[in-house]
Amino acid sequence: MDLHVADHPLIAHKLTVLRDRSTDSARFRTLTDELVTLLAYEATRKIRIAPATITTPVAETTGTALDSPRPLVVPILRAGLGMLEGMLRILPTAEVGFLGMVRDDETFEVHAYAERLPADLTGRQVFVLDPMLATGGTLAMAIDFLLARGVSDVTAICLVSAPEGVEAITEKYEGVAQVTVHTAALDERLNEHGYIVPGLGDAGDRLYGVV
Ligand code: URA
């Protein structure tokens, strides 16, 4: 697994405000959106391209177009939804699939409650959006859904990651699939409730309020 931890002062600043418990939901949503766009810039560095011939007002020239098939963006509901607009801002022609997953508070087991993905994803580049890479259970289940549909190249964008989750994903997909994670921060650890420390709390609750 390839791990990229962002190293940019604007990302560090925005993440610090995001983490602050006094940041309200409206500001949290705006910061999430901005952070995803910044992370997406690097995360799309290996996006597949093809030459494209166009005519400027002055001359014909060969430039660059995104190759087909179009990339697929998959936010993991609920919290990943807060990352979708920030991603589509930089990749407006991407197709969007959805996965709904919830983690049991006691056992940390992940349960999928919704899936809306194209049946055949062979050869597609896929970007999974999930703000918190904690135990890795949610991301692993999402990757398994994608591998079952023929994907071999998955990039996850996570705002905050825990070493435990990074290790779990690295071990599980070593020699199985090309998995890349772009994150704004690699935090210290998970606590006994499965929350990332120092983290930012429950990303879904902070984006949308407590259900
Ligand atoms: N999910 C969250 O929303 N926050 C964490 O810290 C871990 C998992």
Side-chain angles (χ1 to χ4, degrees), residues 62-129:
T62 301
T64 300
L66 294 189
D67 207 356
S68 59
R70 289 188 289 161
L72 180 77
V73 174
V74 181
I76 300 181
L77 309 181
R78 156 179 74 133
L81 205 53
M83 301 171 75
L84 182 58
E85 283 309 311
M87 186 70 193
L88 292 181
R89 185 173 299 117
I90 208 164
L91 208 53
T93 54
E95 201 175 349
V96 181
F98 293 92
L99 283 173
M101 289 181 188
V102 66
R103 190 178 72 157
D104 187 286
D105 285 343
E106 317 260 288
T107 63
F108 308 148
E109 255 179 56
V110 183
H111 160 72
Y113 63 85
E115 176 262 306
R116 195 79 179 162
L117 295 172
D120 183 10
L121 288 171
T122 309
R124 299 286 289 271
Q125 278 184 304
V126 182
F127 296 88
V128 175
L129 307 178

Side-chain angles (χ1 to χ4, degrees), residues 79 103 131-135 190 193-197 199-205:
R103 190 178 72 157
M132 310 304 276
L133 173 51
T135 61
L190 292 180
H193 306 293
Y195 278 84
I196 300 177
V197 181
L200 48 74
D202 187 301
D205 287 355

